Amino acid sequence: MSKPKKGKRFNYPLETVLKVRNIQERQEHDKFIASEKKVKEEKQKEDQVKQEQTQAYDELSGLMTQETLPDTSLINMRTHHLTVLKDKVDDQIKKREDAEEKRDEQRESLSQAIKKRKIIDKDKDKTRKQWKKIMDKEEGKFLDELGSIQHANKMPNQKS
């Protein structure tokens, strides 16, 4: 993707892109954590509503098993309350499922952001290796020149 340039220090030309990708990844990670928290809250609400529903069923069955039957209006009130609780449970299950769907979507976008950042990281590593090779060649050329200059300087001294 990017080509290394000669220099004393390694300067990655796509450093700003890498910074942007890191920021995007961090933002996606924060969103994912928030969606995880939302799923947990919805699950707790669901458990709470289910527990309330169970208690209402237990109360109604307790009323029905008494030796003297209570009046029908009380039983009708309790059964209506149970249907309302059943609707609440169904709504809460739907909310939890929606939250889980959003969490899964967020997980996917987080993994995409991670992949994009890793691509730039790999390119940076490859560019650094290429720069190192170029700098090693330049150093070798410099040392060869020094050696040839010293050799050339010794040659006239030996003739005289």
Side-chain angles (χ1 to χ4, degrees), residues 6 134-148:
K6 294 180 191 176
I134 289 173
M135 294 311 292
D136 287 345
K137 282 183 183 178
E138 289 295 316
E139 187 179 344
K141 286 180 188 177
F142 179 72
L143 292 175
D144 287 345
E145 285 180 26
L146 281 178
S148 64

Side-chain angles (χ1 to χ4, degrees), residues 22-72:
N22 282 330
I23 291 169
Q24 287 174 344
E25 180 184 350
R26 225 177 299 126
Q27 288 173 343
E28 292 296 327
H29 189 264
D30 292 343
K31 288 178 186 177
F32 176 70
I33 289 173
S35 63
E36 279 281 320
K37 192 179 283 187
K38 180 74 173 170
V39 168
K40 189 176 181 180
E41 289 172 4
E42 295 298 333
K43 181 70 175 157
Q44 287 176 345
K45 287 179 185 177
E46 180 183 344
D47 291 342
Q48 199 172 26
V49 172
K50 282 183 177 180
Q51 186 178 16
E52 189 178 328
Q53 184 184 29
T54 306
Q55 287 175 350
Y57 272 120
D58 291 343
E59 288 176 14
L60 181 62
S61 65
L63 284 174
M64 299 288 256
T65 57
Q66 289 180 353
E67 288 181 17
T68 59
L69 286 176
D71 63 2
T72 55

Side-chain angles (χ1 to χ4, degrees), residues 93-115:
I93 289 172
K94 178 81 170 116
K95 286 180 184 178
R96 179 188 48 84
E97 288 172 350
D98 290 343
E100 286 174 347
E101 250 180 61
K102 288 179 183 176
R103 179 199 59 196
D104 294 342
E105 290 171 5
Q106 196 58 46
R107 179 180 289 137
E108 183 62 32
S109 63
L110 174 62
S111 66
Q112 289 298 322
I114 289 171
K115 285 178 186 176

Side-chain angles (χ1 to χ4, degrees), residues 72-144:
T72 55
S73 63
L74 182 62
I75 293 175
N76 287 337
M77 237 175 30
R78 298 287 178 150
T79 49
H80 179 69
H81 180 62
L82 283 172
T83 56
V84 169
L85 284 176
K86 184 181 180 328
D87 292 340
K88 265 187 175 179
V89 168
D90 292 342
D91 289 343
Q92 193 58 42
I93 289 172
K94 178 81 170 116
K95 286 180 184 178
R96 179 188 48 84
E97 288 172 350
D98 290 343
E100 286 174 347
E101 250 180 61
K102 288 179 183 176
R103 179 199 59 196
D104 294 342
E105 290 171 5
Q106 196 58 46
R107 179 180 289 137
E108 183 62 32
S109 63
L110 174 62
S111 66
Q112 289 298 322
I114 289 171
K115 285 178 186 176
K116 287 179 180 180
R117 181 196 47 85
K118 284 185 177 181
I119 288 170
I120 298 295
D121 278 341
K122 286 180 183 178
D123 181 61
K124 183 177 181 178
D125 291 341
K126 287 180 183 177
T127 307
R128 184 183 302 271
K129 287 178 184 176
Q130 289 174 349
W131 173 80
K132 186 73 172 154
K133 284 181 183 178
I134 289 173
M135 294 311 292
D136 287 345
K137 282 183 183 178
E138 289 295 316
E139 187 179 344
K141 286 180 188 177
F142 179 72
L143 292 175
D144 287 345

